Amino acid sequence: MDHGNMDHGAMKQGAAEPAGSDHSTMDHSGMDHSGMDGSNMDHSGMDHASMGHQAGASQDLPATAEPHEPIPVVTPADRAAAFQDLDEHLMHGESIHSYWALDRLEVWDADEDGTGVAWEAMGWVGSDLNRLWLRSEGERVGGSTESADVEVLYGRAIARWWDAVAGVRHDLGFGGGPSRSYAALGVIGLAPYMFEVSATAYLGESGQVGIGAEAEYEMLFTNRLIGQWLVEGEAWSKDDPEVGIGSGLSTVEAGFRLRYEFHRQFAPYVGVVWERAYGGTADQRRAQSGDIDDTRIVAGVRIWF
């Protein structure tokens, strides 16, 4: 049937079809609908869900069915792209590295005693797992050395950011005092919240046992202006009057230093340091000079390479 020339406008929309009309036997394949205007047809009442037009309905597969596009087999080239070769240093290799730092080299006005100078230096050389550590610190006041020590330690990585160290410490004798040597055992590492921590136990002659601990925290005001908080202390098991050590808590030192890194490896600083002696050490200092605590303004430089 050709409806192209039919005038549907003249047809009454609500007119009933003659009774008995059967459209099921009609052949619509030959009908030409090109002239029909479907823009005014209302499809809102049609139920498309029942017509089987749901999205993906015809593509649903059983859970055990093979995918339309099987996952390709992983090739050696794919593995090489995903897991590139790491540098030897990143894999705890045997390459040798080193780090040396003069963490503090500072001076202050020691009043009638003249000028005071103090230093603390450390460094290591070795691989990621095994290192040789060197540490030293001391003080000079009025041109004479009051204290100085050197430590040589073997370090072994025991956890992420932590090394166990073991070795020897030697306190140099000055001002007529004797020198002392100790076996040393401790840890060095980075604690949570970025605190740099070291704690070492010492065993000396005649059963003398000591503990030294230090904690350090850096506060960045800018990328180059950095504040460094530091607290350290020592305690000993026995009196040793010849070197000015008393039993119990010996000394505590706390300080704040503000440095400016003109270069990452060179930074001058100023700061304030407070130190106090306790127990038997305080008694010995009272007998010698009468001062058991000291607060000083310091200026210095920090260098590393």
Side-chain angles (χ1 to χ4, degrees):
M1 295 178 64
D2 184 3
H3 289 225
N5 297 321
M6 294 179 66
D7 182 8
H8 291 76
M11 298 177 66
K12 187 174 181 180
Q13 295 292 327
E17 295 183 358
S21 296
D22 184 5
H23 289 260
S24 63
T25 60
M26 296 178 65
D27 182 9
H28 292 80
S29 62
M31 297 176 67
D32 182 6
H33 294 266
S34 60
M36 297 180 67
D37 181 8
S39 61
N40 296 323
M41 297 178 67
D42 183 7
H43 294 266
S44 61
M46 298 179 66
D47 183 6
H48 291 266
S50 62
M51 300 172 65
H53 294 301
Q54 301 98 316
S58 60
Q59 287 77 29
D60 286 346
L61 296 173
T64 57
E66 293 291 332
H68 289 302
E69 297 182 5
I71 299 174
V73 177
V74 178
T75 65
D78 296 330
R79 294 189 181 93
F83 303 99
Q84 300 181 9
D85 292 336
L86 298 177
D87 183 80
E88 185 183 43
H89 177 63
L90 299 178
M91 297 189 296
H92 295 301
E94 297 301 323
S95 56
I96 303 300
H97 307 275
S98 64
Y99 172 79
W100 307 98
L102 186 57
D103 198 42
R104 296 199 304 272
L105 177 60
E106 60 195 29
V107 298
W108 69 91
D109 183 6
D111 300 326
E112 67 275 5
D113 293 329
T115 301
V117 179
W119 73 88
E120 180 175 343
M122 61 82 65
W124 58 262
V125 58
S127 66
D128 290 342
L129 295 178
N130 302 288
R131 295 175 178 175
L132 175 66
W133 289 82
L134 300 175
R135 299 191 300 202
S136 176
E137 61 179 316
E139 286 188 5
R140 287 175 58 88
V141 178
S144 63
T145 303
E146 294 193 344
S147 64
D149 65 65
V150 177
E151 295 183 49
V152 180
L153 308 165
Y154 162 72
R156 171 75 179 183
I158 56 174
R160 182 176 295 180
W161 316 121
W162 288 94
D163 282 12
V165 294
V168 295
R169 165 180 165 173
H170 183 68
D171 290 355
L172 306 177
F174 292 97
S179 61
R180 292 284 189 266
S181 295
Y182 306 90
L185 179 65
V187 293
I188 302 173
L190 188 66
Y193 303 102
M194 303 300 288
F195 284 90
E196 296 184 23
V197 176
S198 66
T200 312
Y202 303 102
L203 176 61
E205 300 173 4
S206 303
Q208 174 73 291
V209 177
I211 298 175
E214 178 179 311
E216 181 181 303
Y217 179 77
E218 293 190 345
M219 177 186 298
L220 274 67
F221 296 100
T222 70
N223 285 336
R224 295 188 180 273
L225 186 63
I226 301 171
Q228 181 190 65
W229 298 91
L230 175 70
V231 60
E232 60 180 323
E234 283 190 351
W236 296 92
S237 64
K238 297 181 178 182
D239 292 334
D240 191 348
E242 293 183 303
V243 294
I245 291 176
S247 62
L249 179 61
S250 177
T251 58
V252 172
E253 179 180 314
F256 174 78
R257 295 168 176 86
L258 182 67
R259 71 176 184 265
Y260 187 83
E261 295 184 345
F262 289 100
H263 188 277
R264 294 304 180 193
Q265 295 170 292
F266 176 82
Y269 65 83
V270 294
V272 57
V273 179
W274 171 82
E275 181 186 13
R276 178 181 169 86
Y278 295 88
T281 302
D283 294 337
Q284 295 187 42
R285 288 193 181 183
R286 287 190 188 98
Q288 294 175 2
S289 63
D291 295 330
I292 64 170
D293 60 36
D294 182 31
T295 301
R296 55 185 182 261
I297 304 299
V298 300
V301 64
R302 179 178 185 266
I303 304 170
W304 66 269
F305 56 92

